[in-house]
């Protein structure tokens, strides 16, 4: 059975599209994994990623232009195995959609992968400059290294 991983942020145009693109690139060729992303807010449904996310991805040879924003649903909490949220707000919004304890347990701050137990957020770069996007990229790259390693070892 496929392992299904969902990356979640607020708008699904800045952070989670990067997380989706980065993790997919690390798993290239592994057909047993599905990676998707969604947002807890409906502001950017149907839109391509933010141009600043597209630009930073391109700098690292990733093409995320084909992604489109979509809203996180209660069904996602049933279908996906691991739901990685970017910050505490996303965490609370995602948990509200859960209809059981096992569904709640799927939701985890993505930076727990790097800093377990420290509740560190991936900062929202939307109102920041390009440096914010560079920082976000680096954090997500490190977290996705750990996630892809766990997938390869059968932990996820
Ligand atoms: P994201 O960034 O959650 O990383 O996609 C944001 C994008 C849009 C908004 C906020 C955050 N917004 O308020 O429209």
């Amino acid at each position: 059975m496929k392992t299904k991983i969902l990356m979640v942020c607020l708008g699904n145009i800045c952070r989670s599209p990067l997380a989706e693109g980065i993790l997919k690139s690390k798993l290239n060729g592994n057909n047993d994994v599905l990676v998707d992303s969604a947002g807890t807010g409906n502001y950017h449904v149907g839109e391509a990623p933010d141009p600043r996310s597209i630009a930073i991805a391109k700098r690292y040879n990733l093409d995320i232009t084909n992604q489109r924003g979509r809203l996180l649903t209660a069904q996602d909490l049933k279908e996906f195995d691991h739901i990685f949220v970017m910050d505490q707000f996303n965490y609370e919004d995602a948990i509200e959609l859960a209809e059981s304890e096992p569904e709640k347990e799927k939701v985890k701050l993505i930076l727990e992968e790097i800093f377990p137990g420290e509740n560190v957020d991936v900062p929202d770069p939307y109102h920041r400059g390009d440096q914010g996007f560079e920082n976000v990229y680096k954090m997500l790259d490190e977290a996705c290294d750990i996630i892809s390693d766990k997938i390869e070892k059968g932990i996820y």
Side-chain angles (χ1 to χ4, degrees):
M1 231 176 50
K2 272 194 191 221
T3 302
K4 294 183 174 180
I5 308 253
L6 188 65
M7 302 297 192
V8 172
C9 62
L10 172 59
N12 193 206
I13 55 164
C14 297
R15 293 165 291 177
S16 59
L18 280 175
E20 177 186 336
I22 292 168
L23 185 59
K24 277 181 173 164
S25 77
K26 293 183 190 295
L27 296 169
N28 70 63
N30 187 340
N31 290 322
D32 288 334
V33 188
L34 184 146
V35 185
D36 193 8
S37 66
T40 58
N42 64 0
Y43 321 103
H44 299 284
V45 169
E47 292 180 19
D50 187 285
R52 295 165 294 176
S53 280
I54 289 176
I56 190 80
K58 194 173 172 195
R59 189 135 29 102
Y60 289 96
N61 288 317
L62 286 185
D63 182 359
I64 61 167
T65 54
N66 287 334
Q67 294 186 33
R68 292 294 176 269
R70 75 168 180 86
L71 190 60
L72 179 70
T73 66
Q75 189 62 26
D76 288 323
L77 280 101
K78 303 187 191 315
E79 281 183 11
F80 285 84
D81 301 300
H82 301 282
I83 298 165
F84 291 108
V85 296
M86 303 295 136
D87 64 33
Q88 200 62 47
F89 298 112
N90 312 150
Y91 182 83
E92 283 160 17
D93 291 340
I95 288 287
E96 280 205 2
L97 293 171
E99 289 169 0
S100 68
E101 265 319 300
E103 286 179 25
K104 284 184 187 168
E105 283 165 15
K106 294 176 178 181
V107 183
K108 193 171 162 187
L109 282 170
I110 193 166
L111 293 188
E112 284 293 291
E113 297 296 330
I114 311 174
F115 310 109
E118 294 190 25
N119 282 322
V120 183
D121 288 346
V122 179
D124 182 348
Y126 189 64
H127 297 289
R128 293 170 193 236
D130 290 344
Q131 190 59 40
F133 283 79
E134 178 83 32
N135 285 340
V136 163
Y137 189 96
K138 286 184 174 151
M139 289 175 194
L140 292 177
D141 190 54
E142 197 178 334
C144 288
D145 266 338
I146 299 169
I147 294 168
S148 70
D149 204 44
K150 287 184 179 173
I151 290 169
E152 265 155 36
K153 291 183 172 141
I155 298 169
Y156 280 166

